Amino acid sequence: MMKNLLLIVTLFFITLGTQAQNKDAKARIEVDGVCLMCKERIEKAAIKTKGVKTAVWDVNTHLLSVIYDERKTNLNTIHQSVADAGHDTKQVTASNEAYASVHGCCKYRDEAVVEEH
């Protein structure tokens, strides 16, 4: 009897945990960038992340809107993918090497470049 009760309780919590994850979670992430080349790079980095279904970055607001499957990825992973492509997010700063790899007109850390856009 005790084993059956333990099994039922365990199955209940496993089911509860799986339902807590959303297959169509939505989020907006602030990502630094300045141009349409940045837009393409940011969206490509996000969409290549397993579990990301859509990714649209707005050049004016710097917001990346994503729809993703929480069962396959999480926001930390998406932030890291974008940073690995050379773009800072509010949560993860791109490495100097990743930032150096972006095109000259995409150097969002350079005030002169930002002013040109």
Side-chain angles (χ1 to χ4, degrees):
M1 179 73 171
M2 188 63 168
K3 285 183 184 179
N4 288 341
L5 181 60
L6 184 59
L7 180 62
I8 290 170
V9 170
T10 303
L11 287 174
F12 172 76
F13 283 110
I14 289 172
T15 305
L16 189 66
T18 345
Q19 290 178 352
Q21 294 180 327
N22 188 347
K23 71 175 193 164
D24 284 327
K26 296 177 183 179
R28 294 174 82 180
I29 301 168
E30 192 170 333
V31 181
D32 291 334
V34 291
C35 66
L36 294 177
M37 285 175 58
C38 294
K39 175 179 173 64
E40 185 177 331
R41 186 179 310 103
I42 291 165
E43 291 174 353
K44 186 176 180 181
I47 207 77
K48 280 186 166 184
T49 307
K50 182 180 179 177
V52 174
K53 298 177 179 183
T54 65
V56 178
W57 184 72
D58 186 292
V59 177
N60 298 316
T61 64
H62 294 190
L63 291 176
L64 173 65
S65 299
V66 292
I67 297 175
Y68 64 101
D69 186 337
E70 287 181 322
R71 299 170 303 177
K72 296 179 181 177
T73 194
N74 59 52
L75 284 176
N76 292 335
T77 302
I78 299 168
H79 277 268
Q80 189 61 57
S81 295
V82 171
D84 289 346
H87 291 272
D88 297 343
T89 73
K90 287 295 176 195
Q91 204 169 316
V92 179
T93 301
S95 69
N96 290 334
E97 295 80 17
Y99 178 72
S101 73
V102 302
H103 190 272
C105 83
C106 300
K107 301 291 186 185
Y108 55 87
R109 293 177 186 167
D110 183 337
E111 289 182 32
V113 171
V114 173
E115 286 178 20
E116 288 176 13
H117 287 84

